Amino acid sequence: MEDHPTPAVEQTVPQKRTWLKPVIVLGVIGAIVLLWIFDETPVTASRTEVGACLKGDVDDAESVRNVECGTPEANFKVVGKQDGKSEGGLMISGGSECGEYPNADLYYYQGRRTTADGGVLLCLENLKNPGARLPAVGDCLPGDAFAAKKLETVDCAGAHFKVLAIEKESEVSTGTTCASVPATDMKLTWTSGVGGLIPREHVLCLDELK
């Protein structure tokens, strides 16, 4: 019998994807750069939505940055947003436009000084040092008038006053507070605006339970 040489088996060596590693590296670098830009670029109010959080000092626009909510750096939370505001108008109003948002303590504005459609107003909740919060209609307050001024709500079963209505600044200025609430036994004036907070004044119409 003739010996026939065994045919050589050609082994296919898988080619290394040498292009993949640089792509991954570039992707990681790109992500890092984007995060750096997001963190170091001053916030753009027009692209900031309600629910977002910010860090920095609202009196120094260049220091205000976007930040993840729940982190130690988060100083403020956007609770309201209004377009078409001018800086001149805000200087007159003192930011009272944010008064419709119960948790708004201060505001941040970005835009032009005079044009009515040139700026965006962000109404902010101060997460580190929140202002006094108004009780809601139906909440109850303890003790005498002095204790009630602390606005610390308690269970109505042992309370002294119950909030029947809350009159806003327009009623306060005309002197007609609580006129439409005949069961009012006492009026309690609440004013904010101290220390740069949004100026607001309300009157609580209270029913004396005891």
Side-chain angles (χ1 to χ4, degrees):
M1 294 181 64
E2 297 183 5
D3 293 330
H4 296 285
T6 303
V9 178
E10 184 177 350
Q11 294 183 348
T12 303
V13 179
Q15 296 182 351
K16 294 182 178 180
R17 297 181 180 179
T18 55
W19 55 270
L20 188 58
K21 187 175 181 180
V23 170
I24 294 175
V25 172
L26 287 174
V28 172
I29 293 174
I32 293 173
V33 170
L34 287 175
L35 287 173
W36 181 84
I37 292 174
F38 179 79
D39 186 64
E40 295 303 322
T41 303
V43 67
T44 302
S46 61
R47 294 200 297 264
T48 301
E49 299 301 328
V50 173
C53 290
L54 308 175
K55 65 178 181 178
D57 181 358
V58 293
D59 293 325
D60 178 10
E62 293 296 317
S63 73
V64 180
R65 303 283 191 272
N66 292 100
V67 68
E68 288 292 327
C69 294
T71 63
E73 290 182 299
N75 294 328
F76 313 107
K77 185 174 184 178
V78 181
V79 295
K81 179 178 180 179
Q82 298 182 16
D83 298 318
K85 300 297 178 181
S86 69
E87 186 175 1
L90 287 173
M91 291 178 66
I92 296 173
S93 69
S96 59
E97 293 87 343
C98 290
E100 64 183 85
Y101 309 107
N103 288 346
D105 298 306
L106 65 169
Y107 68 89
Y108 175 78
Y109 173 78
Q110 230 177 42
R112 300 174 184 174
R113 182 174 293 275
T114 55
T115 55
D117 59 347
V120 177
L121 173 69
L122 298 179
C123 304
L124 307 177
E125 177 185 1
N126 191 329
L127 298 176
K128 300 293 179 64
N129 298 294
R133 298 285 182 244
L134 268 174
V137 173
D139 284 346
C140 292
L141 306 175
D144 55 17
F146 179 79
K149 287 183 179 180
K150 296 180 181 180
L151 300 182
E152 296 174 354
T153 59
V154 296
D155 187 278
C156 290
H160 199 101
F161 298 100
K162 185 174 183 177
V163 181
L164 298 177
I166 298 176
E167 304 287 359
K168 297 183 179 180
E169 188 173 6
S170 58
E171 289 87 0
V172 174
S173 60
T174 59
T176 60
T177 53
C178 303
S180 61
V181 189
T184 299
D185 295 315
M186 189 181 82
K187 302 176 185 179
L188 181 64
T189 302
W190 175 85
T191 304
S192 70
V194 180
L197 299 180
I198 296 167
R200 283 176 293 185
E201 186 169 287
H202 294 77
V203 170
L204 280 70
C205 309
L206 303 179
D207 176 25
E208 189 169 7
L209 301 177
K210 296 182 178 181

